[in-house]
Amino acid sequence: MKKSEIDDLTERAWEGDRDAQFKLAEHHDFDPKQNLEMAVFWYQNAAQQGHLDAMNALGECYRDGDGVRRNLKEAVRWFSAAADAGHPTAQLSLGVFYHEGRGVKRDDTEAVRLYTLASKKGDFRASAMLNLGYCYKHGQGVEQNAAEAAKWFRKAAKLGHAMAAWQLATQHLEGDGVTKSPEEALEWMRQAATQGDPEFQYELAMHLFEGTAVAQDRAEAIEWLRKAAESRHLEAMEHLARRYREGDGITKNTEQARRWAERVRQHAAQVN
């Protein structure tokens, strides 16, 4: 943001313009020269004037301890204010608080209510759908219902949520609330892995190598294993090094084996 734009926002913010206050808070929050204390100051000013995004952002600051001392009760207060006014992200965050008993007494029924509201709109509605799936799967706040869980997992998965796709795949593997189908399970596993999470890529590779739950395909397994390894997934790197060393499912290549073994050692050194 240009200095002239910041100066203009600052002037309007001090005059009480809540939109300018929120934008100035975001600037301080996300600018490379981050100033979280100033971000909280302006979020607070905008929130006190009823700016919903500012209320939610202030709740997040109190929840995470960003720019202010961590205070879950204050986080609940601001999330509640925004949620009551229809802010979907605040509804989701407040739902998690009730689900986990953070800052409030645990209330799964209230969590389900809030997740349901949050699932209808907003950037994080897929996360709300995932949480609803968990609630139905485990009977938390609602009667346990595997088919209903699968419905919510499917909704979230279709919006690109990797964990939801994996949960749905698991249900298809087990025939839990859905038709047992290794083929359907494999497609949802692929969708989860395609989102880029190395853990799902590694788990998919293992399923394809083993060929017990889904049809064996070692060539595809190596591709997913390599993707996970390139993302520095430790077990994937170790597994790939071994397969190159032994020629197991892949052309034996001692140079590649050494390369991946060295990356494992480097990773371990950084962790320690």
Side-chain angles (χ1 to χ4, degrees):
M1 190 180 294
K2 295 179 181 178
K3 184 179 182 302
S4 58
E5 294 175 313
I6 297 171
D7 290 342
D8 177 62
L9 274 180
T10 302
E11 182 178 350
R12 289 191 289 119
W14 280 113
E15 290 172 352
D17 184 325
R18 70 178 190 177
D19 291 327
Q21 290 169 344
F22 177 69
K23 289 178 182 177
L24 189 58
E26 283 198 312
H27 166 71
H28 286 299
D29 199 351
F30 301 110
D31 187 76
K33 298 178 181 179
Q34 191 179 52
N35 187 332
L36 292 176
E37 289 77 13
M38 285 301 298
V40 169
F41 174 80
W42 288 116
Y43 282 141
Q44 184 96 36
N45 277 271
Q48 287 172 342
Q49 295 195 77
H51 194 291
L52 294 187
D53 287 334
M55 290 178 183
N56 179 67
L58 191 56
E60 291 175 347
C61 290
Y62 277 111
R63 178 192 64 197
D64 302 331
D66 288 339
V68 67
R69 185 182 295 275
R70 188 168 178 262
N71 187 325
L72 295 184
K73 290 193 180 298
E74 275 297 293
V76 168
R77 182 166 82 89
W78 286 108
F79 282 144
S80 295
D84 288 346
H87 195 287
T89 307
Q91 290 166 342
L92 173 59
S93 296
L94 188 59
V96 171
F97 271 39
Y98 275 106
H99 201 172
E100 298 178 352
R102 298 177 62 201
V104 292
K105 183 178 179 181
R106 179 166 176 166
D107 185 337
D108 290 345
T109 301
E110 179 64 4
V112 168
R113 185 186 76 83
L114 288 161
Y115 290 153
T116 303
L117 291 172
S119 72
K120 296 177 181 178
K121 61 181 180 178
D123 294 337
F124 299 101
R125 64 188 185 279
S127 294
M129 293 172 181
L130 173 73
N131 290 355
L132 279 170
Y134 283 136
C135 288
Y136 278 103
K137 182 175 182 177
H138 301 293
Q140 297 173 337
V142 288
E143 186 175 346
Q144 191 171 25
N145 187 324
E148 191 70 10
K151 183 190 84 171
W152 285 107
F153 288 146
R154 182 174 285 103
K155 283 176 178 285
K158 287 182 176 180
L159 290 175
H161 200 294
M163 178 58 79
W166 196 267
Q167 289 295 323
L168 186 57
T170 300
Q171 288 193 246
H172 275 293
L173 281 180
E174 299 171 354
D176 183 21
V178 292
T179 303
K180 186 171 184 177
S181 170
E183 296 78 17
E184 186 83 2
L186 182 56
E187 285 307 307
W188 287 113
M189 285 182 185
R190 287 182 178 131
Q191 179 167 320
T194 300
Q195 302 304 314
D197 189 313
E199 183 62 29
F200 293 135
Q201 293 169 346
Y202 174 73
E203 291 296 332
L204 174 56
M206 294 302 98
H207 276 293
L208 290 166
F209 273 128
E210 292 164 6
T212 51
V214 300
Q216 188 178 57
D217 188 330
R218 291 193 162 198
E220 185 182 354
I222 287 293
E223 290 306 309
W224 287 114
L225 187 63
R226 187 177 287 109
K227 285 179 183 292
E230 291 289 355
S231 296
R232 299 176 61 79
H233 187 286
L234 180 58
E235 290 173 288
M237 291 192 289
E238 291 174 334
H239 209 101
L240 194 57
R242 181 183 66 77
R243 288 188 178 272
Y244 271 121
R245 185 172 61 252
E246 299 175 0
D248 183 8
I250 194 171
T251 302
K252 188 174 181 178
N253 188 321
T254 55
E255 180 58 36
Q256 285 292 331
R258 282 195 296 269
R259 172 179 173 246
W260 284 107
E262 179 59 28
R263 291 187 68 172
V264 169
R265 285 192 290 272
Q266 291 174 352
H267 180 79
Q270 290 173 354
V271 170
N272 296 329

